[in-house]
Amino acid sequence: MSAAMFDENDLYNRIQDHFPLHARPYQTAGAAFDLSERALLSLLARDVGNGRVSRIGAVFAPNTIGASTVAALSVPQARLDRVVERINGDPDISQSHARNGHRYNLWFVAGARDRDTLDGVLARLADDIGQRPIDLPLEREYRADLGLPLGVTRSSRRAPPQRPQILSTPEPPDLDEADWRLAAALESGLALTPQPYHALARRTGLALSETLARLARWRSAGVIRRFGAILRHRPFGYTHNVMCVWNVPDARVDAVGLRLAHVPHVTMCFRRARRLPAWQYNLFAMIHARSAHELTNTLARFDAVGGLADAPRAVLHACQCYKQRGTRFGGALPEF
């Protein structure tokens, strides 16, 4: 099969979470589609260059490698650009979005090696901006983002399990300094070279076999939730990014969240801490939709989910993505 004949959707559906831990991973991944190593590397270089693909790398389960949180600020429009510049200049901030639909209009993800360090990140932001962000740590996961389903089978390819269940959080591993170097080396993704794990091993100071073994252990234990191509939603046609939030009684939120996780086009569903009186909501669902019609249909389905019809709700549409990359934990790496 020539590079011009294969289905890119099929390729990306596979390598979003089935990327090989092999000395020549691009050769192995391409072989399943009759693509040469060189052809796959060229395709990925093109799509990293044009912004369709963020990186080839790891998505860690929350709070297994380091600590992270979602946070938000209420920023007047006249100050928004200046506040965004401060936030995006912070290496501990991995994502930031402007959202309309609530007075908390600037949302971001912050991460650090541990919770104490993360608290320091938020405190410095508060000092510089003049406002303490609302800090909304994860409490439960009902559906995790397992990648961007592409093509005609997107509705069924990544469906949640038939039996609803709260997603378990892996026990955080006991990390040695080599593990931290490995996590840090993964931040920018694998090199687009025939032997990317060799380069990763050199940056980490481990043998190739040990580097691959540690990655395999993390993936098997669920510490790495997904390993492969990290795609950007909008270039692949997912032009509607909406966060819906509800205030659901604590005694019912798990049951409601498990039902909500099964609604088509919900990509993530989780429970986060309330911050009263500023933020009353504890149940979150992310929607990534390809059209206004798809989004409207998904929103309409929510009222049919038991326990949601009468719950206080807010719908926050992403109107601008300012920053999006993986969390950074390692800082500068020593040379080996």
Side-chain angles (χ1 to χ4, degrees):
M1 184 186 299
S2 71
M5 293 173 56
F6 81 103
D7 188 328
E8 285 188 14
N9 286 339
D10 288 344
L11 170 70
Y12 277 128
N13 275 334
R14 179 166 183 80
I15 67 171
Q16 284 184 76
D17 53 7
H18 291 92
F19 194 76
L21 293 177
H22 185 275
R24 300 288 290 264
Y26 299 109
Q27 182 182 71
T28 302
F33 296 87
D34 291 334
L35 281 177
S36 69
E37 180 181 66
R38 181 177 179 180
L40 179 55
L41 283 168
S42 295
L43 184 150
L44 291 172
R46 180 201 73 186
D47 283 351
V48 169
N50 63 25
R52 297 178 85 210
V53 176
S54 172
R55 67 189 189 281
I56 310 296
V59 175
F60 291 103
N63 301 313
T64 54
I65 302 287
S68 63
T69 193
V70 165
L73 293 160
S74 177
V75 184
Q77 191 64 38
R79 294 190 61 218
L80 189 59
D81 288 346
R82 186 166 51 180
V83 174
V84 167
E85 183 178 6
R86 166 61 181 89
I87 287 177
N88 285 359
D90 193 318
D92 300 302
I93 306 302
S94 58
Q95 299 181 39
S96 63
H97 292 79
R99 294 187 180 275
N100 57 34
H102 196 277
R103 72 183 183 90
Y104 281 99
N105 58 337
L106 182 58
W107 290 77
F108 60 94
V109 178
R113 277 203 178 194
D114 52 57
R115 184 66 222 198
D116 286 345
T117 305
L118 181 56
D119 287 340
V121 171
L122 297 177
R124 289 194 300 273
L125 284 174
D127 289 342
D128 292 347
I129 295 168
Q131 177 188 160
R132 180 77 183 185
I134 55 167
D135 173 14
L136 305 171
L138 181 71
E139 294 185 340
R140 292 272 207 287
E141 285 189 284
Y142 310 113
R143 182 175 173 91
D145 179 7
L146 298 178
L148 190 64
L150 304 176
V152 296
T153 60
R154 63 184 183 273
S155 295
S156 59
R157 176 179 165 267
R158 297 176 181 271
Q162 290 186 352
R163 183 177 182 182
Q165 56 186 346
I166 297 172
L167 299 181
S168 60
T169 300
E171 189 70 23
D174 186 14
L175 302 178
D176 59 24
E177 281 305 311
D179 286 323
W180 281 115
R181 292 197 299 269
L182 179 56
L186 283 169
E187 289 165 1
S188 57
L190 296 182
L192 296 179
T193 59
Q195 297 179 314
Y197 296 119
H198 289 71
L200 192 67
R202 286 193 296 272
R203 294 192 68 203
T204 306
L206 295 168
L208 173 64
S209 59
E210 180 61 19
T211 299
L212 291 172
R214 290 186 188 218
L215 292 176
R217 286 197 297 270
W218 283 353
R219 189 153 74 173
S220 176
V223 172
I224 290 178
R225 178 161 284 164
R226 184 161 66 86
F227 193 91
I230 313 300
L231 310 185
R232 299 189 188 277
H233 296 89
R234 189 169 289 272
F236 282 89
Y238 285 82
T239 53
H240 297 267
N241 173 333
V242 175
M243 182 174 74
C244 294
V245 294
W246 294 264
N247 181 357
V248 177
D250 290 341
R252 297 167 52 200
V253 65
D254 285 345
V256 176
L258 289 170
R259 291 192 290 269
L260 181 60
H262 281 256
V263 175
H265 307 299
V266 169
T267 53
M268 291 181 281
C269 185
F270 32 74
R271 176 181 179 175
R272 292 189 179 275
R274 294 187 184 89
R275 293 298 186 219
L276 299 173
W279 183 260
Q280 64 173 310
Y281 306 105
N282 61 339
L283 181 60
F284 292 62
M286 296 297 303
I287 305 169
H288 290 91
R290 290 177 177 263
S291 66
H293 177 71
E294 193 170 87
L295 173 62
T296 299
N297 283 348
T298 301
L299 293 173
R301 287 174 179 264
F302 288 161
D303 286 340
V305 174
L308 284 186
D310 298 324
R313 180 178 81 168
V315 179
L316 289 77
H317 296 253
C319 49
Q320 181 70 50
C321 175
Y322 297 110
K323 186 176 186 180
Q324 188 170 11
R325 61 159 175 74
T327 302
R328 294 183 178 174
F329 303 110
L333 288 174
E335 295 296 330
F336 287 89

